[in-house]
Amino acid sequence: MPRPRKADAAKSTPGTITARGDAYRLRLAVGGRRHSFTFPPGTAIEAVRQFATAKHRELLEATGSRAGARRARTARVLVRIADLCALYERDVLPTRAPGTQTAYRGSLAAIRAFFVLQRRNPRVDAVTRADVVAFLAWRRTAPRRKGRTDPVTLRTVAKDRAVLHRLFAVATERELRETNPVTLAKAAKGDPHAPVILDAAQYEALLGAAVGRPMLAAYLLVLGETGLRAQSEALWLRWEHVDFARGFLTVASGKAHRTKSGEGRDVPMTARLVAALRAHAAAYRLATYPGRDGAAHHTPWLFHHLTTRRHHRAGERIATLDAAVAGAARRAKLPAEFRRHDLRHRRVTTWLQAGKSPALIQQAMGHADIRTTMAYAHLVSDDLRSLVDEPGPAPSGVPRTA
């Protein structure tokens, strides 16, 4: 007689499921007793798994198994929203890119403010869809940090909902609850940010506004000429990532620092950027700064602090240049809607305008899908107007052509 084989059961399914032909047998051991169940031929494996989970819970309650009861109390009583947030920050958040971690921590702070402080830290399995809807309504009108009276944008609410959804997805994976209450609670979608694509004059004005600020000037040129992501890529460049001989910048991703895609790549530099970075290297690559041990050290970072202040030391990596970029944009009199990420949009659109290969652009930008690259195509549609715009007055005696 052929020996029954073990079914392809999920690890989270209690007991042991074995298969013989198209029939299944389930064995459960609860409270020192063994229980066996045989299913009719043709029963789906998912139905067997669902029965196993429900029956196991029923037997635990019926037998009064102390270990089972303790596990049930731990899952249903001790695991609360604050515990779930801490679990997410410990196990999941470190796997995300630095920029994503920062954004998610902001959402987690809002989630804690509502569920932990206002709703008194409910059990994870007690949160309902109505609670999620209440959170989304509260988030739209909740007080902001000091000095801000305007409500958060709908895009921020949608982001917070996405983080809450991921939070409860972890709860369902860990069997802290059976369903995700966020799935059916929809947040209103805000208008997406319309990128400000700088023309040549505006771009030069922005670069001119950074003259006298060497780190900012080099940073803006790197963003504009390569399209690197401003926070998770450009500010993590090291001198070893600059290949002047080949004319490439290397975007590295690994244990020390992870990019958004989790993959590294090489990005070509324009002649203008090569010349600027050569001058930047001549000034700062061999510069030495006093370390915490009192000795002089070379810095590995392209963009580093030049002086020591309360929160940083000379030679350390610059964590953000947000305020400096915003100041340069104001001095250059750019539109108020301009964001530093718009320089990435500009790089893609200028390459598309020049007829460059979308596949090569995708590789340089680090897009996982070619559709992401081609989504920028609509930003150059205004240039097509030149095909049908009425030309200016024709010189005397020269007929106007269609």
Side-chain angles (χ1 to χ4, degrees):
M1 178 180 293
R3 191 175 181 181
R5 59 184 176 84
K6 185 175 288 187
D8 239 352
K11 291 183 179 179
S12 59
T13 303
T16 302
I17 302 174
T18 55
R20 184 177 181 181
D22 58 351
Y24 293 100
R25 173 179 291 177
L26 167 67
R27 291 185 175 89
L28 295 172
V30 180
R33 298 183 58 186
R34 295 182 179 181
H35 306 267
S36 179
F37 306 90
T38 302
F39 297 84
T43 303
I45 183 62
E46 289 300 326
V48 177
R49 293 172 181 168
Q50 292 175 7
F51 176 88
T53 301
K55 195 65 179 179
H56 186 257
R57 186 182 300 112
E58 176 185 332
L59 292 171
L60 282 176
E61 295 173 354
T63 59
S65 169
R66 292 183 179 180
R70 186 165 58 250
R71 284 194 296 270
R73 284 195 301 271
T74 300
R76 298 176 184 176
V77 179
L78 299 183
V79 180
R80 297 180 177 270
I81 292 295
D83 303 319
L84 180 61
C85 291
L87 182 150
Y88 188 87
E89 286 186 312
R90 185 192 70 214
D91 295 349
V92 181
L93 202 58
T95 65
R96 309 299 181 187
T100 303
Q101 292 184 35
T102 301
Y104 279 24
R105 284 195 177 95
S107 296
L108 288 172
I111 292 169
R112 286 188 174 104
F114 179 79
F115 286 101
V116 178
L117 299 181
Q118 292 201 9
R119 293 297 175 97
R120 300 185 178 182
N121 200 17
R123 300 193 317 264
V124 170
D125 66 324
V127 176
T128 65
R129 174 188 174 187
D131 294 325
V132 177
V133 172
F135 165 72
L136 297 177
W138 168 86
R139 186 69 178 108
R140 186 72 179 96
T141 58
R144 302 186 68 180
R145 62 180 181 270
K146 186 177 181 180
R148 295 292 297 273
T149 58
D150 54 315
V152 300
T153 64
L154 293 177
R155 292 184 68 206
T156 299
V157 177
K159 174 180 70 71
D160 292 347
R161 177 200 173 276
V163 174
L164 187 63
H165 188 278
R166 290 176 173 85
L167 201 64
F168 278 101
V170 171
T172 57
E173 290 172 359
R174 303 293 178 94
E175 295 186 343
L176 302 177
R177 61 175 295 135
E178 294 184 359
T179 59
N180 191 327
V182 187
T183 302
L184 298 178
K186 302 299 181 183
K189 293 185 178 180
D191 295 331
H193 169 66
V196 177
I197 307 301
L198 304 182
D199 59 28
Q202 290 174 316
Y203 180 55
E204 295 302 327
L206 177 63
L207 297 178
V211 171
R213 298 170 173 83
M215 294 298 162
L216 175 61
Y219 177 67
L220 288 174
L221 197 61
V222 166
L223 297 185
E225 300 296 302
T226 67
L228 294 189
R229 295 182 175 93
Q231 195 72 18
S232 64
E233 294 180 351
L235 288 177
W236 288 85
L237 288 173
R238 302 165 69 98
W239 291 116
E240 65 198 58
H241 298 151
V242 185
D243 188 340
F244 288 115
R246 295 174 55 241
F248 279 89
L249 289 178
T250 297
V251 177
S253 183
K255 292 183 178 180
H257 168 71
R258 184 184 186 277
T259 63
K260 181 178 181 180
S261 64
E263 298 180 356
R265 67 184 189 280
D266 288 337
V267 182
M269 294 188 289
T270 61
R272 180 180 188 179
L273 181 58
V274 169
L277 289 187
R278 283 188 183 277
H280 190 67
Y284 299 106
R285 187 167 191 172
L286 298 180
T288 58
Y289 303 93
R292 297 184 183 275
D293 57 0
H297 299 275
H298 297 297
T299 178
W301 304 107
L302 257 70
F303 305 114
H304 57 270
H305 294 285
L306 299 177
T307 57
T308 297
R309 291 289 185 267
R310 180 180 178 183
H311 298 293
H312 61 258
R313 296 185 64 85
E316 291 181 346
R317 185 183 71 86
I318 296 176
T320 179
L321 282 167
D322 286 3
V325 173
R330 287 193 299 270
R331 293 191 295 274
K333 298 181 180 180
L334 300 184
E337 298 79 15
F338 172 78
R339 302 290 183 270
R340 60 182 180 171
H341 193 72
D342 293 341
L343 290 175
R344 181 172 169 86
H345 292 288
R346 181 183 183 275
R347 176 71 282 182
V348 177
T349 55
T350 52
W351 272 337
L352 288 173
Q353 286 173 327
K356 304 300 182 182
S357 165
L360 294 179
I361 298 174
Q362 175 195 2
Q363 184 177 349
M365 291 295 101
H367 291 152
D369 194 320
I370 189 66
R371 289 175 294 184
T372 304
T373 307
M374 294 311 298
Y376 289 84
H378 76 280
L379 298 175
V380 302
S381 59
D382 288 343
D383 294 326
L384 300 179
R385 292 298 310 170
S386 61
L387 297 177
V388 296
D389 280 344
E390 291 294 330
S396 178
V398 178
R400 186 186 298 274
T401 58

